[in-house]
Each structure stands twice: as C-alpha cells, then as structure tokens.
Amino acid sequence: MTQQQSALCRFASAPPVEDRGNDLKRQMLGYNNKLTAVKIGFAPGAEGYVHAHRHSQASLVVDEFQVMVNGETKTVGPGDSLFVRPHEDHGAVCPTGGILIDTFSPAREDFLKE
C-alpha cells in the first residue's frame, strides 16, 4: 500500500460490527483524535434511548426514524440529516429497522474503550 493510500484507508478490511444490545449494532467507520464516524444499525422498533454527551454530533439518515432533540420529536427519512449540539438531550426510534451514520467531534474515545 502506498503512503497516499494508507492515509485514506483507516481499515484494511471491513471493520467489525459490534452488537450493542437493545437491537442496536455499531460499526466504526473511521476515527482520529478529532472525529469519529460510526454506522448504527437499528432492528425494527429499536430505540436509541434519550441521552446527552459532550460531543457535537452530525447524523445522516439512511432510513425512516423518529428523532427527538431537546424535547422536540420529528420524523426524518432517507437523505435527511440532523445536528445535535454538545449536551443536548437526543434519541431515536426506528419503526421498520434502519441505519444512521453518526459523526462526532471531538472523537468518541469512549467508543474505543468499550
């Protein structure tokens, strides 16, 4: 692998999919000390419970979800995105099963320790 290729490719093969319980699966897509990108898979009816963290979060919606940010709930669909500021309460429910692509800044070091 050339130096340029290694700079663009974080993983030599597909990263493993982690079963996170509660019908959720997580796959690390890439990270450094400033950014983490993950793919979150939801089984039908799975819920990402309301929580908050110190990170800014930008998410790309692949399937239909009901998302809640600071008490406001909206239905979002394929191609939609959302932004969650640090320390804002947020969560999501996926009635039919689906995927969110989440990015976090700074990096989610807690994801690497789990």
Side-chain angles (χ1 to χ4, degrees), residues 2 7 11 20 34 37 46-47 49 57 60 80 88 103 106 109:
T2 69
F11 297 101
R20 302 301 302 155
K34 296 183 181 189
E47 181 175 353
Y49 294 103
Q57 177 178 337
L60 174 64
D80 288 340
E88 286 187 318
T103 58
E109 292 176 357

Side-chain angles (χ1 to χ4, degrees), residues 26-113:
R26 180 172 69 200
Q27 184 177 34
M28 299 293 288
L29 298 177
Y31 58 89
N32 63 16
N33 62 337
K34 296 183 181 189
L35 179 74
T36 301
V38 298
K39 177 177 168 181
I40 308 293
F42 288 68
E47 181 175 353
Y49 294 103
V50 175
H51 64 287
H53 44 72
R54 68 182 185 92
H55 310 84
S56 295
Q57 177 178 337
S59 300
L60 174 64
V61 180
V62 178
D63 300 285
E64 186 174 303
F65 284 81
Q66 281 99 39
V67 297
M68 188 284 294
V69 178
N70 276 345
E72 182 180 354
T73 300
K74 290 188 174 183
T75 299
V76 294
D80 288 340
S81 62
L82 58 121
F83 180 79
V84 181
R85 292 176 186 88
H87 308 289
E88 286 187 318
D89 289 335
H90 61 285
V93 176
C94 189
T96 60
I99 293 172
L100 289 175
I101 305 294
D102 291 336
T103 58
F104 302 92
S105 180
R108 290 294 303 255
E109 292 176 357
D110 54 324
F111 285 8
L112 303 176
K113 295 176 185 175

